[in-house]
Amino acid sequence: MRRCVLSLWILMWILGSAPQLQAQTREECQECHADPELTTETESGEEISLFVPDSVFDASVHADLECIDCHADIVELPHEDTLKAVDCGSCHEDEAEAVAKSVHGMELRARSPDAPACADCHGTHDILPMDNPASRISKANQPETCGRCHSDPDIIARNQIPMVAPVAIYEGSIHGRLTQEREDAATCSDCHRGHLILTPLNPASSIFKLEIPNTCGKCHEAIYEEYRISVHARALQQGAKDAPVCTDCHGEHDILRPENPESPTSGFRVPVEVCSPCHASERLAKKYGLTPARVTTYENSYHGLALRGGKATVANCGSCHGVHAILPSSDPRSPIHRDNLVETCGKCHPNPTENFARGRIHPVGEEAEARVIQMVRWIYVVLIAVVIGFMVLHNFIDFIAKAKRLRLAQHGHG
Ligand code: HEC
Ligand code: HEC
Ligand code: HEC
Ligand code: HEC
Ligand code: HEC
Ligand code: HEC
Ligand code: HEC
Ligand code: HEC
Ligand code: HEC
Ligand code: HEC
Ligand code: HEC
């Protein structure tokens, strides 16, 4: 890309702009613009500086450019009072094209004052490449650069952006904390891209549901490979929109390490916060032929009860099923396949026998039991309703009969 931009620039220089460059060199501009006192007033009466320090410009990635490579509408000096906006896309075509297709580009075309132009994210005379720690787009600085708008409550409200504190929440996450120290953790553009930023509902977006495993998988390759074969990933591929991707279990801006007790993926929280929202749901059970009783039967098992009692070392859903490569019991690779149960329980129970491992865990037997209990409960309810109903009816008839007799007796006396 860099070479392409450079050769494009050299070509332009040879073809057209060379004579102009000689006519208006940087030195000529700097006769006035190297003056720290040079200012002007905007339409709204605000004073702005027109000082362009050579030291800043020389340190930037564009140090070899002439001023008029960017301020291309200047043909002679002195120049017009009002100049056109700089078109960075004249040299950086690919970037300009990607921005134009993004949510930001749509806002720019609609002339929204809140929309970011190239300079809002990159700067003007002080542009540095991403790998320079002082750059506005370095991994550590992106939260601040994007946050100028995405942490501004007025901009968020005016544009009805669904997520109201993306930056503050991200900064508390494992990625947010690590980007301040390391180059390999995820910053804004790792998940959203720098230019082709789209809403999560757009299928071309890097954060569209089906695309998320690829986005996270760029860095978490081994886990991606495990997840890819899971019942969840395969169901998703076949159109089961409710099956989970990485962010359904981990969150997105608020991802924490599993050993952090605040994380939904920390062992004792997994049954309630990760698996239950889907596996205890009657709606999903019906839709996918699952049984919601898996969760209740777990909760009533020795493991479930011990977990609620605060014993964190006990088995949670993930201890037996795994978390990324979850497979049905019919799959021989699954830790809950009959042949693998001794090994699965053996992680915590020393030398379990086959019988122990195949004993009632949380499944079918107890579900059936639960269903019988449910049925008995219903029979009781109906029986009680009928008995009480008959009693009320009997008493009512009795009362009417008594009342009639009383009235007859009174009539006789009168
Ligand atoms: C003789 C002094 C002088 C020279 C030489 C000069 N400028 Fe300026 N420049 C000014 C002044 C004064 C203004 C403020 C104009 C105004 O706002 O009325 C200005 C404004 C500008 C602006 C802001 C325009 C806007 O729309 O707000 C740009 C950009 C600029 N100059 C670029 C350049 C470049 C590039 C060169 C060299 C090719 C250059 N100038 C040479 C004096 C100069
Ligand atoms: C990489 C492109 C680029 C180069 C090279 C460049 N400028 Fe600019 N300049 C900009 C952008 C972008 C702005 C912001 C306004 C806009 O978008 O037109 C700007 C704004 C200005 C302004 C208005 C005040 C301000 O800082 O916003 C002045 C004055 C100016 N440039 C002078 C110069 C001078 C003098 C040089 C050469 C030393 C130069 N520029 C080189 C991109 C450039
Ligand atoms: C006249 C052509 C030209 C214009 C206009 C121009 N650039 Fe550049 N830009 C270049 C060249 C050439 C390089 C490569 C410099 C290098 O690698 O040493 C570059 C490098 C960059 C880089 C660093 C890229 C990298 O791979 O290290 C960024 C970021 C950048 N430009 C942004 C901008 C922005 C933003 C604007 C508009 C304000 C702009 N450029 C306008 C020619 C231009
Ligand atoms: C919303 C903020 C934002 C806007 C708007 C934006 N960029 Fe970027 N740009 C980034 C980020 C973040 C990166 C680094 C990640 C990447 O490469 O995607 C980047 C990377 C770049 C690079 C490569 C830099 C390097 O060191 O590798 C160039 C060149 C560039 N942008 C040019 C432009 C141009 C030209 C525009 C306007 C058409 C523009 N950008 C608009 C945020 C932005
Ligand atoms: C100058 C302000 C500004 C900057 C800087 C900025 N954005 Fe935005 N962004 C906006 C506005 C305004 C919208 C709303 C667009 C709309 O209405 O759809 C938006 C929309 C978004 C959306 C889509 C939100 C939705 O409605 O679905 C994402 C994602 C996003 N920006 C990410 C970023 C990232 C990442 C960066 C930094 C690399 C960044 N933005 C920098 C102003 C900005
Ligand atoms: C680990 C990946 C990841 C990182 C890092 C990340 N995001 Fe996000 N972001 C997402 C995902 C996934 C969503 C979509 C959430 C959804 O579906 O509602 C999102 C949503 C958003 C939205 C709202 C879009 C909408 O319509 O709901 C904005 C704005 C946003 N992110 C900005 C940022 C900014 C700014 C940063 C850097 C401080 C950042 N993100 C860092 C993954 C990430
Ligand atoms: C740019 C690379 C990158 C991307 C993209 C990325 N991550 Fe990370 N992530 C990391 C790094 C590096 C760590 C720290 C690893 C470590 O120190 O153990 C990390 C840590 C984590 C952790 C904590 C791991 C642990 O062992 O405690 C989780 C969970 C996580 N990421 C999930 C995700 C999810 C989900 C996504 C997608 C929404 C994602 N990551 C996207 C690089 C990335
Ligand atoms: C069904 C829920 C679920 C899905 C889907 C899921 N995870 Fe996890 N993930 C977990 C749980 C629970 C843990 C904690 C496991 C533990 O304590 O060992 C975890 C642990 C992790 C860890 C840290 C521990 C390790 O093994 O290194 C990373 C990193 C991670 N997941 C990334 C991802 C990525 C990337 C994806 C998508 C490709 C993903 N996860 C999909 C539930 C899930
Ligand atoms: C976002 C919702 C969601 C989450 C979270 C989720 N699942 Fe699932 N799960 C599903 C759906 C939907 C299916 C059915 C897929 C299909 O069509 O076969 C499924 C299937 C399964 C199956 C296979 C069932 C069978 O009968 O074949 C197992 C086992 C399973 N999930 C375990 C878990 C565990 C353990 C967790 C927590 C670590 C979990 N799931 C988290 C939605 C979810
Ligand atoms: C102590 C180990 C263990 C724990 C803990 C556990 N399961 Fe299971 N689970 C199994 C075994 C073994 C089977 C398969 C045998 C059976 O159906 O009886 C199974 C079956 C399932 C199935 C049906 C899958 C199939 O292919 O038949 C689902 C869905 C399920 N469990 C979800 C969960 C959820 C959700 C949790 C946590 C709330 C959980 N399990 C906790 C061991 C466990
Ligand atoms: C993550 C570790 C772990 C895994 C895996 C695990 N268990 Fe347990 N299990 C425990 C702990 C700890 C207790 C003790 C609970 C208590 O203190 O009440 C326990 C208790 C039990 C009990 C109650 C009686 C006793 O021995 O204390 C049975 C039965 C049991 N587990 C069966 C199983 C079976 C069958 C499997 C495999 C399908 C299994 N467990 C997998 C940790 C585990």
Side-chain angles (χ1 to χ4, degrees):
M1 199 285 306
R2 208 178 277 201
R3 214 176 303 140
C4 171
V5 171
L6 202 57
S7 49
L8 188 77
W9 178 69
I10 291 168
L11 190 72
M12 285 186 7
W13 187 76
I14 293 169
L15 284 183
S17 38
Q20 276 182 19
L21 278 183
Q22 276 151 5
Q24 286 145 29
T25 58
R26 184 168 144 194
E27 285 71 35
E28 283 177 80
C29 309
Q30 290 306 66
E31 275 173 26
C32 298
H33 288 286
D35 175 6
E37 311 282 291
L38 189 65
T39 58
T40 187
E41 267 188 16
T42 61
E43 276 171 23
S44 54
E46 188 195 344
E47 194 178 67
I48 57 159
S49 170
L50 297 171
F51 173 43
V52 181
D54 275 313
S55 59
V56 168
F57 191 72
D58 282 335
S60 85
V61 73
H62 295 119
D64 292 337
L65 297 191
E66 290 292 345
C67 310
I68 58 166
D69 288 330
C70 285
H71 297 289
D73 57 331
I74 297 183
V75 283
E76 54 185 14
L77 290 176
H79 59 73
E80 308 269 336
D81 282 352
T82 309
L83 296 170
K84 280 204 202 121
V86 171
D87 176 16
C88 313
S90 62
C91 297
H92 299 287
E93 230 174 284
D94 293 348
E95 286 81 3
E97 214 172 280
V99 170
K101 285 189 203 143
S102 73
V103 280
H104 293 143
M106 269 150 43
E107 291 298 291
L108 284 168
R109 275 195 299 284
R111 304 202 171 277
S112 158
D114 297 334
C118 314
D120 287 307
C121 293
H122 288 285
T124 55
H125 305 125
D126 56 351
I127 295 173
L128 296 170
M130 184 178 180
D131 54 19
N132 185 321
S135 167
R136 284 184 178 76
I137 55 161
S138 73
K139 284 217 166 190
N141 290 342
Q142 279 187 35
E144 195 187 331
T145 301
C146 310
R148 247 189 53 216
C149 300
H150 288 286
S151 296
D152 180 332
D154 295 334
I155 291 183
I156 291 165
R158 258 202 306 277
N159 294 279
Q160 296 170 331
I161 301 175
M163 203 179 264
V164 292
V167 182
I169 293 172
Y170 162 81
E171 282 172 340
S173 77
I174 180 67
H175 294 132
R177 275 179 263 151
L178 286 180
T179 41
Q180 297 307 315
E181 312 154 9
R182 285 163 48 172
E183 271 298 307
D184 59 349
T187 191
C188 315
S189 66
D190 288 311
C191 294
H192 290 283
R193 309 191 186 111
H195 301 131
L196 192 51
I197 296 173
L198 298 167
T199 75
L201 299 176
N202 186 327
S205 172
S206 58
I207 53 163
F208 181 63
K209 182 157 183 175
L210 284 173
E211 203 45 46
I212 281 178
N214 296 328
T215 297
C216 311
K218 278 187 304 190
C219 303
H220 298 288
E221 285 165 46
I223 287 172
Y224 173 78
E225 288 304 326
E226 283 180 29
Y227 169 78
R228 210 168 53 88
I229 62 159
S230 73
V231 60
H232 291 141
R234 277 180 296 148
L236 204 63
Q237 289 302 324
Q238 286 156 15
K241 290 205 190 82
D242 301 296
V245 295
C246 323
T247 48
D248 289 307
C249 299
H250 288 281
E252 54 266 331
H253 287 184
D254 52 351
I255 295 171
L256 297 171
R257 286 195 192 279
E259 56 262 34
N260 184 331
E262 300 281 305
S263 172
T265 58
S266 76
F268 71 99
R269 288 188 191 246
V270 166
V272 173
E273 293 183 30
V274 177
C275 313
S276 293
C278 297
H279 282 281
S281 153
E282 295 278 352
R283 184 182 68 85
L284 292 192
K286 222 172 253 156
K287 197 162 159 194
Y288 297 99
L290 301 166
T291 90
R294 293 290 180 188
V295 172
T296 43
T297 51
Y298 167 76
E299 281 168 354
N300 295 328
S301 74
Y302 19 80
H303 293 131
L305 293 170
L307 192 82
R308 263 187 288 174
K311 188 159 182 139
T313 53
V314 92
N316 66 61
C317 320
S319 323
C320 297
H321 290 278
V323 291
H324 297 128
I326 294 175
L327 292 164
S329 53
S330 54
D331 192 312
R333 292 170 298 176
S334 170
I336 56 157
H337 184 267
R338 288 172 65 86
D339 297 346
N340 302 332
L341 281 175
V342 168
E343 193 189 323
T344 303
C345 313
K347 285 189 297 184
C348 305
H349 296 282
N351 312 316
T353 61
E354 294 247 330
N355 268 348
F356 174 85
R358 285 189 193 162
R360 298 184 317 165
I361 297 151
H362 69 108
V364 188
E366 291 181 24
E367 264 160 43
E369 212 170 87
R371 233 173 288 135
V372 168
I373 292 172
Q374 194 71 15
M375 234 148 68
V376 169
R377 199 172 289 157
W378 273 108
I379 290 170
Y380 264 107
V381 170
V382 172
L383 216 62
I384 289 166
V386 168
V387 168
I388 292 180
F390 266 119
M391 250 162 64
V392 170
L393 193 68
H394 173 263
N395 287 358
F396 182 67
I397 292 171
D398 194 43
F399 170 78
I400 301 266
K402 271 197 186 124
K404 257 194 189 151
R405 250 180 281 141
L406 196 69
R407 222 180 303 145
L408 270 177
Q410 281 170 348
H411 207 70
H413 282 284

